[in-house]
């Protein structure tokens, strides 16, 4: 009896799996993952994890846009909504360009050394969002580029969260218990966040913040006297709220800016058009001097806006969106959804589908966004352009994000030509935020 059990375990089961593998290979030379007994599609997902976004695009192309994955998936990530902080973010932005971005770029230019532009953008957005949310500027964007654990912890978190979506829940939970792999990184990242945020939350609670308005104070006021449903009480709630807003505001805009500068570096004609627009619309040709511009003037920069939309179409910072039906439903493709089904929308793939964006979908063409008379941006429905999400949970920071990105991009393009360092590898990182995997090493030249 025991021999039979061993035979079954070591010979029969592997043979069945191997036969299954062979038949599936013969039947289809396809990108679609094999649905294995027991482990479902997990092996294909793990095997393709190193290029998960392009892999998802190939599979979706092959099967007409919707594909059912058999395996354990779960949703995560939530951000909170607060309207007031947009105006405060704007004034913070001018200050950061003047005291952080320009001096740092000027230093790299004068030294003639190359540097990671993605890192500069991440520091810029980190400082700005900390100022707005926590009334504290950590000054991570300065010539020394200091190591700030909380700022770097963001990168570890976005990578580890993708891992949680791909490996079975029992595996990452075991890793968490044993404090190993990506889960170890997450534990360390949370420690860094706590050490950074809690002291600021405490000084806010003691009324020690400098400015009249900051998001932490506004949020505390808004919930004063209300019953708080939170396992950790008010202090934890404020920590979580701050964290969510920092996530929403830091990685999205820095990622979009990174890809914009890569796209215009490989399409230099676009940079010339953007520069021409900046000089004409902001009247810089006459003044021959850089000056800051407000949100209203920002709206005149249509070609730059279109270039940013192209960057978001081809490299949406949130490459995946997770949805769950509130009741059983049927997708237009005929797939049946149960209450427990998780739907993953590959936002990255939507932007690269011929059926959605036409045969030139892989080309960088800001022109596709410009209305026939060149006066504005054409409206694309959010289900065609889901970079800011679709439906009621759409991004609340969209307008603010464009103001921020236009200011940063215009400041750089007006002063410098950005050249990618020869041979620097550029590909998307495997994380829930589509950063550039190896950063973006650049050198600045005079315009
Ligand atoms: C290029 C820049 C940005 C992109 C592509 C973007 C994208 C998104 C997406 C996809 C969501 C939905 C997330 C989900 O529920 O699954 C979202 C929500 C949100 N975003 Fe943005 N975002 C950007 C910039 C910003 C900025 C600068 C802020 C301001 C700090 C911001 C604040 C928010 C907030 C508060 C929500 C939550 C909305 C809600 O749940 O009702 N976003 N964003």
């Amino acid at each position: 009896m025991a021999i039979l059990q061993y035979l079954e375990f070591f010979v029969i089961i592997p043979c069945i799996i191997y036969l299954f593998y062979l038949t599936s290979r013969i039947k289809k030379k396809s990108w679609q993952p094999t649905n294995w007994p027991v482990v479902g599609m997990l092996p294909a997902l793990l095997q393709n994890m190193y290029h998960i976004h392009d892999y998802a695009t190939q599979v979706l192309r092959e099967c007409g846009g919707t594909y059912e994955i058999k395996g354990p998936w779960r949703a995560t990530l939530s951000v909170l909504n607060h309207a007031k902080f947009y105006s405060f973010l704007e004034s913070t932005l001018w200050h950061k360009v003047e005291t952080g971005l320009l001096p740092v770029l000027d230093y790299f230019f004068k030294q003639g050394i190359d540097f990671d532009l993605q890192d500069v953008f991440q520091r810029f957005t980190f400082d700005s969002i900390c100022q707005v949310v926590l009334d504290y500027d950590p000054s991570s964007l300065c010539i020394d580029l200091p190591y700030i654990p909380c700022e770097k912890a963001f990168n570890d978190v976005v990578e580890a969260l993708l891992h949680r979506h791909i490996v079975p829940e029992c595996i990452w939970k075991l890793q968490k218990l044993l404090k190993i792999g990506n889960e170890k990184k997450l534990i360390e990242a949370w420690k860094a966040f706590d050490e950074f945020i809690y002291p600021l939350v405490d000084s806010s609670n003691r009324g020690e913040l400098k400015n009249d308005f900051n998001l932490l104070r506004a949020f505390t006021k808004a919930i004063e006297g209300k019953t708080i449903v939170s396992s950790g009480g008010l202090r934890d709630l404020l920590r979580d709220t701050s964290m969510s807003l920092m996530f929403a505001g830091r990685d999205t805009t820095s990622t979009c800016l990174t890809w914009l500068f890569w796209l215009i570096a490989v399409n230099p004609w676009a940079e010339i058009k953007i520069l021409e627009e900046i000089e004409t619309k902001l009247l810089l040709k006459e003044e021959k001097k850089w000056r800051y511009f407000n949100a209203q003037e920002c709206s005149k920069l249509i070609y730059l806006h279109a270039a940013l939309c192209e960057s978001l179409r081809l490299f949406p910072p949130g490459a995946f969106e997770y949805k769950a039906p509130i009741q059983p439903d049927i997708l237009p493709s005929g797939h049946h959804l149960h209450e427990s089904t998780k739907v993953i929308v590959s936002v990255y793939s939507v932007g690269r589908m011929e059926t959605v964006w036409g045969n030139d979908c892989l080309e960088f063409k800001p022109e596709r966004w410009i209305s026939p008379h060149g006066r504005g941006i054409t409206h694309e429905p959010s289900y065609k352009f889901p970079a800011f999400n679709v439906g009621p949970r759409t991004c609340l920071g969209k307008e603010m994000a464009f103001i921020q990105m236009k200011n940063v991009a215009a400041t750089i393009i007006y002063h410098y030509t950005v050249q990618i360092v020869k041979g620097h590898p550029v590909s998307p990182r495997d994380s829930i935020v589509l950063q550039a995997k190896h950063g973006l090493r650049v050198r600045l030249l005079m315009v």
Side-chain angles (χ1 to χ4, degrees):
M1 192 62 186
I3 293 173
L4 267 180
Q5 273 174 359
Y6 278 121
L7 199 70
E8 187 184 332
F9 191 78
F10 288 110
V11 182
I12 302 176
I13 294 179
C15 281
I16 293 173
I17 292 177
Y18 187 61
L19 274 175
F20 194 84
Y21 171 77
L22 283 183
T23 6
S24 68
R25 289 282 117 187
I26 294 164
K27 253 197 334 216
K28 53 180 175 114
K29 256 208 152 101
S30 129
W31 286 90
Q32 292 174 39
T34 303
N35 187 20
W36 293 91
V38 188
V39 289
M41 294 171 180
L42 188 64
L45 297 177
L46 292 176
Q47 194 189 350
N48 288 289
M49 200 162 155
Y50 73 97
H51 67 157
I52 194 77
H53 303 295
D54 284 313
Y55 177 65
T57 307
Q58 291 292 0
V59 173
L60 290 171
R61 269 205 192 116
E62 204 176 284
C63 60
T66 309
Y67 189 76
E68 188 179 347
I69 293 172
K70 313 263 197 250
W73 295 75
R74 59 191 284 279
T76 186
L77 211 81
S78 77
V79 280
L80 209 111
N81 161 20
H82 197 293
K84 258 191 184 175
F85 88 141
Y86 301 136
S87 61
F88 190 61
L89 187 64
E90 197 185 358
S91 60
T92 305
L93 174 66
W94 310 130
H95 182 70
K96 202 73 235 170
V97 169
E98 199 173 10
T99 60
L101 185 68
L102 276 174
V104 167
L105 296 184
D106 185 54
Y107 172 78
F108 285 129
F109 171 70
K110 286 188 176 143
Q111 296 292 315
I113 47 177
D114 59 65
F115 63 98
D116 180 4
L117 188 59
Q118 178 167 260
D119 183 45
V120 166
F121 289 148
Q122 286 173 346
R123 288 167 185 271
F124 180 93
T125 50
F126 178 68
D127 287 354
S128 313
I129 203 72
C130 283
Q131 179 66 62
V132 171
V133 176
L134 301 165
D135 195 15
Y136 169 70
D137 180 352
S139 300
S140 71
L141 183 59
C142 62
I143 291 164
D144 315 327
L145 300 179
Y147 173 77
I148 298 185
C150 175
E151 198 261 329
K152 286 295 159 237
F154 277 98
N155 292 343
D156 289 339
V157 166
V158 290
E159 201 171 276
L161 286 180
L162 180 77
H163 183 254
R164 274 198 184 180
H165 288 301
I166 289 179
V167 302
E169 194 170 330
C170 57
I171 303 269
W172 68 254
K173 284 201 166 158
L174 185 69
Q175 286 186 323
K176 188 176 172 186
L177 197 75
L178 301 173
K179 299 190 174 119
I180 53 169
N182 276 303
E183 290 302 317
K184 185 179 172 206
K185 281 191 197 167
L186 263 181
I187 294 167
E188 282 163 5
W190 281 114
K191 194 166 165 272
F193 290 144
D194 284 353
E195 282 169 6
F196 182 80
I197 293 178
Y198 272 134
L200 295 163
V201 167
D202 292 342
S203 41
S204 168
N205 285 342
R206 289 194 298 267
E208 289 169 6
L209 299 188
K210 292 188 298 279
N211 281 312
D212 284 346
F213 176 77
N214 63 74
L215 198 52
L216 198 56
R217 182 177 288 174
F219 189 76
T220 315
K221 264 193 191 157
I223 55 174
E224 251 166 18
K226 298 207 171 85
T227 314
I228 309 295
V229 186
S230 165
S231 54
L234 179 66
R235 196 171 177 250
D236 283 1
L237 186 66
L238 292 175
R239 191 260 332 246
D240 294 345
T241 308
S242 311
M243 280 292 311
S244 302
L245 285 159
M246 286 161 75
F247 264 112
R250 182 235 184 208
D251 276 328
T252 47
T253 40
S254 60
T255 301
C256 176
L257 282 166
T258 303
W259 290 113
L260 173 79
F261 276 91
W262 181 70
L263 286 164
I264 57 177
V266 294
N267 298 282
W269 47 266
E271 190 181 5
I272 297 168
K273 287 191 173 184
I274 296 171
L275 182 60
E276 173 67 27
E277 180 181 70
I278 295 168
E279 289 183 334
T280 319
K281 301 274 177 62
L282 301 180
L283 308 175
L284 297 178
K285 270 188 177 155
E286 293 85 53
E287 293 171 22
K288 288 201 169 36
K289 203 168 131 244
W290 180 244
R291 65 173 177 84
Y292 297 106
F293 51 98
N294 60 26
Q296 219 181 354
E297 287 176 293
C298 245
S299 63
K300 295 181 188 164
L301 301 178
I302 289 166
Y303 196 82
L304 178 55
H305 194 107
L308 285 163
C309 288
E310 272 297 80
S311 171
L312 289 165
R313 179 181 71 83
L314 289 165
F315 297 100
F320 288 124
E321 261 296 331
Y322 290 78
K323 303 281 177 204
I326 47 173
Q327 58 187 46
D329 206 343
I330 304 174
L331 291 181
S333 60
H335 286 82
H336 285 254
L337 306 182
H338 304 278
E339 272 124 335
S340 62
T341 315
K342 301 282 178 288
V343 179
I344 302 163
V345 180
S346 171
V347 181
Y348 178 84
S349 307
V350 174
R352 287 159 183 263
M353 292 281 182
E354 284 91 352
T355 46
V356 181
W357 285 96
N359 290 339
D360 59 357
C361 62
L362 297 181
E363 288 172 40
F364 174 69
K365 271 194 182 172
E367 286 72 16
R368 76 175 87 232
W369 291 90
I370 295 174
S371 63
H373 299 294
R375 289 202 199 102
I377 296 289
T378 49
H379 170 74
E380 293 292 0
S382 55
Y383 55 80
K384 183 177 174 188
F385 178 55
F388 291 100
N389 206 9
V390 181
R393 291 287 305 272
T394 207
C395 174
L396 295 168
K398 182 176 171 183
E399 296 311 316
M400 200 61 240
F402 273 109
I403 294 169
Q404 184 178 29
M405 295 188 297
K406 281 181 178 176
N407 269 285
V408 173
T411 303
I412 298 178
I413 292 170
Y414 181 77
H415 289 90
Y416 306 103
T417 294
V418 176
Q419 206 176 53
I420 311 290
V421 169
K422 224 172 167 198
H424 173 69
V426 179
S427 61
R429 187 164 172 223
D430 312 310
S431 83
I432 54 161
V433 179
L434 201 76
Q435 298 157 340
K437 197 178 203 160
H438 309 283
L440 192 68
R441 289 219 77 80
V442 302
R443 187 160 291 171
L444 300 178
L445 308 173
M446 212 29 135
V447 174

